[in-house]
Amino acid sequence: MEYKSFIGGAWHETSDSTPNVNPSDTSDILGHAAVGGADDMARAIDAASGAAAQWAKSTPQQRFDVLDFIGSEILARKAELGELLSREEGKTLPEGIGEAARAGQIFKFFAGETLRQTGDILASVRPGIGVDVTRSPVGVVGLITPWNFPIAIPAWKIAPALAFGNAVVLKPAELVPGCAHALADIISRSGLPEGVFNLVFGRGSVVGPELIGSNKVNAISFTGSVGTGRAIAADCGKLLKKVQLEMGGKNPMVVLDDADLDIAVDVSVNGAYFSTGQRCTASSRLIVTEGIHDKFVAAVEERLNNLNVGHALRKETHIGPVVDEKQLQQDLDYVDIAAKDGGKVIGGQRLNRDTEGFFMAPALVTETTNDMRINREEVFGPVASVVRVKDYDEALAVANDTEFGLSSGVCTTSLKHASHFKANAEAGMVMVNLPTAGVDYHVPFGGTKGSSFGSREQGTYAAEFYTTVKTAYTLP
Ligand code: NAD
């Protein structure tokens, strides 16, 4: 399979390409992706810029039809797309199919949003004048996406961008070209005018600056690591370009003495280790009060012993591989650092399976304190640490003692503690007796502090980023 860039309505060859390797079995090469250059990106931006005015004038019905077509096809093909996703990213097959379905649902939601327009007609404070407040498209939007949700994250940026009348240039992560290509293929048959959607493969450091620096690109929506996000925000700031960033997390899961132990273990294991811990919302810090600490650690350890790590496509697998060798090395390094800093490590070693892949036993690091590196820096793998605390007040303080603020959870049967936690957790999303990862698609997604910047994604709140508000005054 050749994954080509899609520019101005046509598939676009490049001389250079890079293999798409299955992390469960490195002998399985799914295809080769184009490695685009700055000139390819410039061409895609020109195409988007040329098509933007026409799409901005499209009717809600045209937009609905396009988005509904895309959503319907993704949903109809969720098993096949989910398998592709699992093969290239390493999520288990149920996780891959679930993510593909999510992408379809997102397109369906935003198909509906094209018809549910909002606006205000008001009386002026001055006599005889009418005021109306409407939303217009932003223009050309550049979308930069990470590898860990290779179909859902592109979907949750592309769908609102198109629904609100914008032209798009998508720059997906290098490790997952297959899902981006499959999405572009579906979009190419949706009836969308040529040039409104463009896909450019290539290295972030090469094609990214062209996208961010172009004066024809009106807004940038980025999801990825903190370092890249900060650099993009600085560049957009200099150009006064609208920007939205979703970045890392060091998400706490607080387990209180009054928690239901089974729920607490389920929620923590799911949040910390499913999808191989490669979720920005993963529960990487388990903050546990002393009355339940030992029982909780023993139960989590027992659960981890019963989880199968292996090939993402096999039925018996609970946890797939890490995405690549570099990420695996980073995960193993953090386990070493945690041990050197005084943590007690359970699991966390590289595993051999009957295929060559990037397999790692889930790691639980106990006896840690919140100032250790393992509790300050995002690992982005199947690694969680436990911090023992005295009571609820200390648990909340430790949960909030981080530069991040994406998702924060508590397991408790106390209404008082749950209510207080919801009000006082410094995070964009709060979970009570639920994993920190796992969200709905019709409500806002995003964080506080170092995790996010700019307006929220998803749900009706997506309009904030993908439109510009216009206030018009009329004296009839
Ligand atoms: P990354 O920052 O390395 O890459 C993200 C994207 O940015 C890729 O497409 C990459 O090619 C591109 N990029 C790299 N350098 C660039 C540059 N100079 N200019 C423009 N684009 C550039 O992140 P990743 O490793 O792909 O993803 C993992 C990270 O993403 C983790 O930190 C995770 O927490 C974060 N993430 C956050 C969310 C969220 O919603 N908060 C969701 C998923 C992942």
Side-chain angles (χ1 to χ4, degrees):
M1 180 80 190
E2 294 294 319
Y3 309 117
K4 296 175 186 164
S5 291
F6 185 69
I7 300 174
W11 297 101
H12 187 78
E13 306 246 5
T14 44
S15 50
D16 202 5
S17 72
T18 176
N20 187 11
V21 180
N22 180 347
S24 298
D25 176 359
T26 55
S27 68
D28 177 26
I29 307 296
L30 286 80
H32 287 82
V35 180
D39 50 337
D40 299 303
M41 182 53 87
R43 231 169 279 149
I45 294 168
D46 282 346
S49 169
Q54 184 196 352
W55 187 244
K57 290 198 200 86
S58 58
T59 63
Q61 188 65 51
Q62 280 173 292
R63 295 182 197 174
F64 175 89
D65 290 344
V66 163
L67 290 159
D68 190 56
F69 174 95
I70 299 167
S72 299
E73 181 162 336
I74 294 173
L75 286 169
R77 293 174 51 200
K78 66 179 183 189
E80 170 209 340
L81 292 169
E83 184 177 331
L84 166 68
L85 197 165
S86 295
R87 248 179 99 197
E88 78 171 355
E89 196 269 350
K91 283 193 173 106
T92 64
L93 193 53
E95 289 170 338
I97 294 171
E99 186 185 329
R102 167 62 56 101
Q105 288 158 340
I106 290 167
F107 275 99
K108 290 283 194 178
F109 175 85
F110 282 105
E113 285 299 279
T114 63
L115 303 175
R116 282 187 290 271
Q117 298 156 61
T118 56
D120 298 313
I121 298 177
L122 307 93
S124 168
V125 292
R126 292 168 286 166
I129 294 174
V131 183
D132 57 87
V133 182
T134 54
R135 290 189 178 272
S136 324
V138 172
V140 174
V141 295
L143 310 179
I144 302 173
T145 54
W147 49 262
N148 65 326
F149 283 95
I151 195 160
I153 292 182
W156 83 45
K157 295 183 192 293
I158 297 167
L162 297 179
F164 293 115
N166 301 285
V168 167
V169 179
L170 170 67
K171 206 311 270 170
E174 292 91 315
L175 284 174
V176 287
C179 286
H181 188 270
L183 202 46
D185 170 55
I186 295 169
I187 295 171
S188 75
R189 291 181 281 98
S190 67
L192 193 68
E194 283 177 9
V196 178
F197 172 81
N198 305 274
L199 161 70
V200 179
F201 289 120
R203 283 183 185 287
S205 57
V206 176
V207 295
E210 184 73 25
L211 183 63
I212 292 149
S214 169
N215 58 15
K216 293 178 186 162
V217 176
N218 306 94
I220 297 286
S221 179
F222 167 86
T223 300
S225 59
V226 177
T228 313
R230 277 183 190 273
I232 289 176
D235 290 343
C236 287
K238 277 186 221 134
L239 299 166
L240 299 181
K241 188 168 292 195
K242 193 169 187 180
V243 65
Q244 171 187 61
L245 311 172
E246 290 298 344
M247 302 172 286
K250 198 71 212 171
N251 309 291
M253 172 49 71
V254 169
V255 177
L256 298 180
D257 285 355
D258 63 26
D260 177 311
L261 185 63
D262 291 339
I263 291 178
V265 172
D266 276 352
V267 155
S268 302
V269 169
N270 176 319
Y273 302 108
F274 286 8
S275 296
T276 322
Q278 297 174 147
R279 297 187 283 193
C280 50
T281 46
S283 321
S284 50
R285 293 183 297 141
L286 308 175
I287 299 162
V288 187
T289 47
E290 53 196 10
I292 198 171
H293 177 278
D294 293 355
K295 274 182 282 180
F296 173 80
V297 168
V300 170
E301 190 178 349
E302 192 191 333
R303 187 70 62 85
L304 294 187
N305 288 335
N306 291 316
L307 290 180
N308 297 323
V309 178
H311 196 297
L313 297 182
R314 298 212 182 134
K315 245 206 191 98
E316 66 277 13
T317 297
H318 300 112
I319 296 181
V322 173
V323 73
D324 70 355
E325 183 67 43
K326 188 167 157 240
Q327 182 66 48
L328 175 59
Q329 201 48 58
Q330 176 173 312
D331 299 346
L332 296 170
D333 287 349
Y334 268 110
V335 170
D336 281 351
I337 290 167
K340 284 197 188 98
D341 287 348
K344 188 177 149 234
V345 179
I346 299 161
Q349 70 281 19
R350 189 173 190 151
L351 297 172
N352 292 319
R353 292 292 180 259
D354 59 3
T355 50
E356 279 294 322
F358 311 115
F359 302 107
M360 176 174 171
L364 182 69
V365 189
T366 62
E367 310 303 332
T368 73
T369 53
N370 202 44
D371 56 353
M372 290 181 183
R373 273 185 73 190
I374 195 67
N375 287 320
R376 310 301 315 174
E377 298 168 21
E378 185 181 50
V379 178
F380 218 55
V383 182
S385 48
V386 180
V387 183
R388 188 197 302 253
V389 289
K390 198 165 71 261
D391 55 15
Y392 170 75
D393 291 338
E394 189 185 353
L396 177 66
V398 170
N400 286 340
D401 177 16
T402 169
E403 69 177 85
F404 297 108
L406 191 56
S407 183
S408 194
V410 64
C411 285
T412 180
T413 51
S414 151
L415 180 61
K416 185 174 147 216
H417 286 144
S419 306
H420 189 270
F421 191 81
K422 279 198 280 186
N424 293 285
E426 294 170 2
M429 296 174 292
V430 182
M431 311 290 178
V432 178
N433 297 321
L434 287 165
T436 52
V439 295
D440 287 359
Y441 60 87
H442 66 308
V443 286
F445 179 96
T448 58
K449 302 200 279 191
S451 290
S452 299
F453 182 80
S455 44
R456 287 282 185 265
E457 299 202 78
Q458 303 210 64
T460 53
Y461 288 70
E464 282 308 311
F465 183 74
Y466 291 101
T467 63
T468 301
V469 172
K470 182 177 280 179
T471 311
Y473 297 86
T474 311
L475 179 64

